């Protein structure tokens, strides 16, 4: 068989609901190529039951026949024709009469070709349903990720702390110390130094930063954004529970290396490292 999966969208009254219909088309190669295979297996006999209501119009109930015109005079025939009883009888003759329901069993023959086709279409139905569900889940994940990133970089909008945590789980986070081990000595500083660094970065990137604080106040986050990097930022994290701070680069996992804006991310990281060096020099003075 040649198997084709057709997915069609269907209009939905609710704009938040996506309705899809899928069809599986099986084209038998045996039909265009009759001698491609030989039928060697026997089929099966199965019972097919049918029970339908049959309606017949114009069937009147059996009644005694009225006298003929030969037996009655002309005046009496005219009076009988216009009588109410006669009009009711004519009306009843046009009503529907239902025939008694009947159960009929037939013995149908199903060849091995038809049985194999039935099994194959059931397998393809499960496979197609799984593919459609995976496709919808993937599209939903992409839409949710783009929504969170757009909400983060849009001026006048800011994600909630729960949405920020969700964005981190959907993104790729890498520590700057792992990207370049040479910056590890610079970043090995106490919490007070990181608090001063946060104030410095907030003053330097006055319009391009976001701050988040955990619900219990134990973790503080500063996100340094850039107008040319819609899918990445540098994050300063301060964990007061363990008295430690760190710098990370966060990128959109969906875009990955295909995103051209990632070419500007190293420049942003370099600017943040320069700010760290400035913070060190001011601490020595």
């Amino acid at each position: 068989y040649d198997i084709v999966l057709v997915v069609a969208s269907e209009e939905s009254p609710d704009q938040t609901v996506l309705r899809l219909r899928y069809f599986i088309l099986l084209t038998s190669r045996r039909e265009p190529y009759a001698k491609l295979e030989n039928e060697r297996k026997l089929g099966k006999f199965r019972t097919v039951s049918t029970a339908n209501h049959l309606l017949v119009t114009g069937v009147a109930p059996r009644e005694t026949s009225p006298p003929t015109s030969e037996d009655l005079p002309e005046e009496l025939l005219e009076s009988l024709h216009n009588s109410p009883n006669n009009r009711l009888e004519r009306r009843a003759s046009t009503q529907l009469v239902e025939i008694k329901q009947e159960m009929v069993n037939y013995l149908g023959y199903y060849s091995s070709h038809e049985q194999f086709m039935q099994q194959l279409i059931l397998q393809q139905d499960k496979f197609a349903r799984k593919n459609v569900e995976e496709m919808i889940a993937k599209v939903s994940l992409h839409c949710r990720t783009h929504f969170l990133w757009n909400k983060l970089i849009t001026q006048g909008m800011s994600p909630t702390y729960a949405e920020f945590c969700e964005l981190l789980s959907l993104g790729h986070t890498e520590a700057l110390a792992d990207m370049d081990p040479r910056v590890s000595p610079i970043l090995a500083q106490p919490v007070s130094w990181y608090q001063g660094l946060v104030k410095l970065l907030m003053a330097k990137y006055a319009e391009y930063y976001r701050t988040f604080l955990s619900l219990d106040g134990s973790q503080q986050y500063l996100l340094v954004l850039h107008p040319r990097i819609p899918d990445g930022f540098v994050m300063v994290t301060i964990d007061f529970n363990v008295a430690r701070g760190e710098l990370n680069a966060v990128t959109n996992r969906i875009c990955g290396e295909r995103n051209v804006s990632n070419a500007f991310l190293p420049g942003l990281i370099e600017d943040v490292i320069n700010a760290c060096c400035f913070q060190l020099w001011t601490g020595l003075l």
Side-chain angles (χ1 to χ4, degrees):
Y1 291 93
D2 293 329
I3 304 172
V4 178
L5 173 63
V6 179
V7 181
S9 61
E10 189 178 29
E11 293 184 0
S12 174
D14 189 357
Q15 296 182 355
T16 61
V17 177
L18 176 64
R19 290 186 177 181
L20 296 178
R21 300 178 63 187
Y22 66 93
F23 306 89
I24 301 175
L25 304 181
L26 297 180
T27 304
S28 176
R29 296 180 180 177
R30 182 176 302 176
E31 300 300 332
Y33 307 103
K35 296 184 179 181
L36 184 62
E37 297 179 359
N38 293 326
E39 183 70 29
R40 297 182 179 180
K41 298 181 181 180
L42 298 178
K44 292 183 179 180
F45 287 94
R46 297 180 182 176
T47 302
V48 181
S49 300
T50 60
N52 298 324
H53 290 278
L54 299 179
L55 298 179
V56 180
T57 59
V59 179
R62 181 177 298 176
E63 297 180 355
T64 57
S65 59
T68 62
S69 59
E70 298 177 356
D71 301 332
L72 298 176
E74 185 176 357
E75 294 81 6
L76 186 57
L77 283 174
E78 184 177 359
S79 62
L80 288 175
H81 181 74
N82 297 326
S83 63
N85 294 333
N86 194 15
R87 288 197 297 268
L88 290 176
E89 290 176 1
R90 290 199 305 270
R91 186 182 303 172
S93 63
T94 60
Q95 293 179 353
L96 299 178
V97 179
E98 182 177 352
I99 298 179
K100 182 179 180 181
Q101 181 178 353
E102 182 180 4
M103 179 71 71
V104 181
N105 294 330
Y106 297 96
L107 194 62
Y109 176 77
Y110 292 84
S111 65
S112 60
H113 172 71
E114 294 172 326
Q115 297 174 40
F116 174 74
M117 181 178 63
Q118 184 181 13
Q119 295 176 359
L120 182 60
I121 198 170
L122 291 177
Q123 294 176 359
Q124 292 301 320
D125 174 70
K126 295 180 180 179
F127 180 73
R129 183 183 297 271
K130 181 180 178 181
N131 285 346
V132 171
E133 291 176 352
E134 291 178 353
M135 178 181 62
I136 294 176
K138 185 177 181 180
V139 171
S140 301
L141 179 62
H142 286 196
C143 292
R144 181 61 178 173
T145 303
H146 290 311
F147 169 77
L148 293 176
W149 278 93
N150 290 335
K151 191 173 183 180
L152 177 67
I153 65 177
T154 302
Q155 294 291 339
M157 299 180 61
S158 180
T160 62
Y161 180 74
E163 291 176 337
F164 166 68
C165 294
E166 183 181 1
L167 184 144
L168 289 181
S169 64
L170 298 176
H172 175 70
T173 304
E174 187 175 3
L176 298 188
D178 296 336
M179 299 175 63
D180 191 350
R182 293 176 298 178
V183 302
S184 297
I186 301 176
L187 302 179
Q189 303 296 331
V191 173
S192 59
W193 182 86
Y194 276 96
Q195 290 177 331
L197 178 63
V198 168
K199 295 179 181 179
L200 176 63
L201 294 176
M202 291 174 63
K204 183 177 181 179
Y205 302 95
E207 298 180 358
Y208 301 102
Y209 74 87
R210 299 285 187 274
T211 58
F212 296 95
L213 186 65
S214 62
L215 299 179
D216 57 355
S218 61
Q219 292 181 338
Q220 181 182 0
Y221 302 89
L222 173 68
L223 279 57
V224 180
L225 308 177
H226 194 279
R228 292 187 177 182
I229 310 176
D231 299 308
F233 55 84
V234 177
M235 179 176 63
V236 182
T237 305
I238 302 177
D239 192 340
F240 297 100
N241 290 331
V242 295
R244 186 182 64 182
E246 61 180 359
L247 267 71
N248 300 283
V250 182
T251 55
N252 191 343
R253 184 183 303 173
I254 295 178
C255 296
E257 298 179 355
R258 297 175 299 173
N259 191 1
V260 182
S261 64
N262 285 341
F264 299 97
L265 186 59
L268 178 61
I269 295 175
E270 184 178 355
D271 291 342
V272 173
I273 295 298
N274 291 335
C276 293
C277 296
F278 178 80
Q279 179 71 10
L280 284 175
W281 280 108
T282 55
L284 296 176
L285 297 178

